[in-house]
Structure formats: C-alpha cells, structure tokens
Amino acid sequence: MSAWKFKVLSVVLSGGLLVGGSARSEVEIEYWQYFFDARVTAMEQLIGEFEAENPGIKVSMTHFPYADYRTKVAAAIPAGEGPDVVQLFYGWLNDYVAADLIQPLPNDAFPPGQIEAEFFPMVSAMREGDNYWALPTAVRSLALFYNTALFAEAGIDAPPQTLDELIETARALTKTDAAGNLTQVGITAGMNAQDHHWFREVLVRQFGGEPYLDDYTTVNYNSEAGVAAAEFYVGLANDHKVTAFGFMDEPQAAFKAGRAGMHIDGSFRIGSLNKTRGLKWGVAELPAGPNGTQSNYSSYWVNAITTKAEGEKYDAAVKFMQFVTSDNAMQVWLDVVGELPAKPSVGLTEANANDAVFGPFIRGLAYANTTKFANESAQRQILIDMVQRIDLEGQPAAESVAVAAEAEQKLLDEYYN
C-alpha cells in the first residue's frame, strides 16, 4: 500500500476528514440545560437525530439541578468554558444579555420576519431591535387537571367551564373529618406553585383588569379587578371552604396523592402525572370568568448561542439551534416532555389541538399572555405574602393588594433603572 493510500485509510478509520491533505476532526459543541428527567430524555433523542444528519458535529449535553443551574452558567461562560448552546428561562433574557453570556441569532439563519410568521406571538419577547436572542422549542400554558375517579364518585359529569361552576364543583369534591378538618380539597391552592400566574394573567384579566402596563414595567393590579381577583382566590379557602393553603405543602402533591379533585398547573406536569401510579385524571381549559372571559398564562424556556461559541463551533451551534427549533423537534418535545410546540404549524394540527390531554393547553395559547418578569421568585413571594396577610392576618383584600403592588413596583423600578 502506498504512503498516500495509507494516510487516507488512517484518516477514515480515525473519523477525520481529509481537507487539503490534512485531517480535520469533527466539531464538538456543548449543550447545557437544567435537569428534568423528561427534558433530558427528549434532548438525548434530538441530539442523536442531529448527529446522524450532521456527521461532522458532535453535541455533548450537560445538565445540573435547577437550584445550581444559573450559577454554573454564569461562572462557566466568562471563563471560556461551558456551553456553546444554553437553555434559559425566557424571563432571564435581559440578565443574560447584560452579562454578555449570549449573542444574538444571525439574521440570515433566523430572519425575524420568518420567526414572527411561524412562531406563536409570545416569542416576540425574545426580540431586541433587528435580532432575536433566543428561541423556544416548546411553550407552556395552564389548564385545569381533574381527578376523574373523584368526579365519578361525586356524580360530576364534566369539568367546570366557569368560575361559578368551579366553586360548585369544588364543594361537591371537598371532604372533612368528624372534627371538620379537610381530608380532601375540591381544588388545590398555593401561590408557591402556578397560582401566582393564574392570579396575574388570568383572574385579574377575567375580572376586567390588566395586571401590568408599559410592557410590564408598571404594576396595575391595585384596582377593583385586582381586589376582586384576590377576594375570589382567597375566598376559595376562607368563604367556600373548598381548599386550604398549605394543604399537603405543595398543591401538586395533593393532586398526585388523590387528595384533591382539581388542580391548576402547567403542561410540563403531564409527564410526572403519567408516572403517578393509580392516578386517573383528565384536562380541561381554564374556567372562564364573568361574561365568559377567557385568559391564560404562557411561559417558555429558550435556547441561545453563548458568547463562548466562535468559529466552527459557532457555525455548528447555529445548525443545532435550527434543528432544535424545527417542527420535528417540537413534536418530539411534545411527545416526550408534554410541553407544547412553539409553532402553530405543529401545535394546531388536528391531532394535537384535539388531543384529550394536550389539546386544552394548546387551545389556551390562543388567549394567553406572557408575564415579563424582572425577578420571578421575588415577584412570586410578593403574592405569597399578599395571600398570607389576607388569610392568616385578616387584612382586607384591598389593603393587602395595595401593599403587594407597591412592593412589586419598587422591585421593578430598581430592576429597570
């Protein structure tokens, strides 16, 4: 065998490419996301498909517990380490841009006009000027989960379609012991879960208000609508006695244990409920408010290219971003994770939109609003405190709402200034 043929054979066997007489090894990029079992499984499948279509690129995935995730990302990228493509919560975008952790998506690969034509409108929060900084594979909305076995036991034929029906249904599902203590709640309650979204973007709007103004920089729920929403919400526990704050600590725990008839949660809960042995459940769109007003909340995690990605790694990262935001990737994410496709072309297919489980969430996207958080955990805590003042201290709802609005406005002013 000639020396030249031996060199070619060696390159082929080693997985390299012969370019200009020299071997070029495959490009390896890193992808980071927080650990959630179904998300990891879905991404492993997508990475396998991407590498099969792009044999010159290898994607290495790393994941961390949610509590450590932001700290790890913030430390790694400035040091020239860590991910080339990173997953982040949409509400963190401003922080990531300000810290120079991510770079805008190239317009030739991600034309803004095409994005706005193909994606659900809420992704526009990822645009600044002429560029998009990040895009989601999937989005989330809220819906009403209900325990079908408890419904049958109580003789309830269908989930409630209005807030008034919600109260009546919850009464029929509520159980107490001989001492009057709740043993089964009609509906879960807790701002520590998804109820703070239900309050802001659903109840406030259903009672005729708008939770924020000026692109979410001005708090606006200190209003008749905001007070009415707070009174309705806390009234589920204090007036109608169909729930209790802190029942079994976490709302989703009570529903999983079969101790709650109804539970409002996000589409991301589907995967874990499917794994809950013995639990029989269904899904319905959120009950409409007075005058039939429908509203919902939508959020999403996005993928972005980090400032670490340069040269051939950057080119590979762009290809990977195009792949994970494709129609095929969105269907995989729906099937494996239960999160909703970010494009109507996938979400609103007849099969998906009419699916018994996914359908209510997908249909809810048509009237959903996305809160632009400055600090979601802090803003959630403000509403937790608001409810506690009404529930435990007996403070009038109007006073507690006013305190919450003032505290949140101060937080927003400090953040945006």
Side-chain angles (χ1 to χ4, degrees), residues 9-84:
L9 179 61
S10 298
V11 168
V12 171
L13 293 175
S14 65
L17 299 173
L18 193 65
V19 180
S22 61
R24 186 184 72 192
S25 60
E26 64 183 3
V27 179
E28 181 172 351
I29 59 173
E30 289 192 54
Y31 176 77
W32 281 19
Q33 67 170 334
Y34 79 90
F35 179 79
F36 186 78
D37 189 42
R39 283 171 164 260
V40 172
T41 300
M43 188 52 68
E44 285 175 343
Q45 179 177 335
L46 291 177
I47 289 173
E49 293 179 8
F50 175 77
E51 290 179 341
E53 292 182 15
N54 298 271
I57 304 173
K58 177 177 174 56
V59 181
S60 175
M61 177 171 60
T62 300
H63 45 76
F64 298 97
Y66 181 83
D68 301 330
Y69 184 68
R70 291 189 72 180
T71 302
K72 295 283 189 181
V73 171
I77 296 173
E81 301 172 351
D84 299 287

Side-chain angles (χ1 to χ4, degrees), residues 284-307:
E285 290 179 68
L286 294 180
N291 302 315
T293 306
Q294 290 181 304
S295 189
N296 207 312
Y297 163 75
S298 178
S299 67
Y300 46 94
W301 284 73
V302 295
N303 293 303
I305 300 173
T306 72
T307 49

Side-chain angles (χ1 to χ4, degrees), residues 394-408:
Q395 187 177 45
E399 293 181 14
S400 191
V401 169
V403 172
E406 183 179 358
E408 188 167 358

Side-chain angles (χ1 to χ4, degrees), residues 257-326:
R259 300 273 300 279
M262 295 179 287
H263 171 59
I264 290 175
D265 211 333
S267 45
F268 54 84
R269 193 67 60 194
I270 293 170
S272 63
L273 292 181
N274 279 333
K275 296 179 181 178
T276 304
R277 187 172 299 177
L279 182 66
K280 297 180 179 179
W281 52 276
V283 186
E285 290 179 68
L286 294 180
N291 302 315
T293 306
Q294 290 181 304
S295 189
N296 207 312
Y297 163 75
S298 178
S299 67
Y300 46 94
W301 284 73
V302 295
N303 293 303
I305 300 173
T306 72
T307 49
K308 176 207 169 194
E310 298 178 344
E312 59 184 8
K313 287 182 178 289
Y314 175 81
D315 295 338
V318 169
K319 287 186 177 181
F320 187 62
M321 277 287 302
Q322 289 175 313
F323 183 83
V324 296
T325 55
S326 66

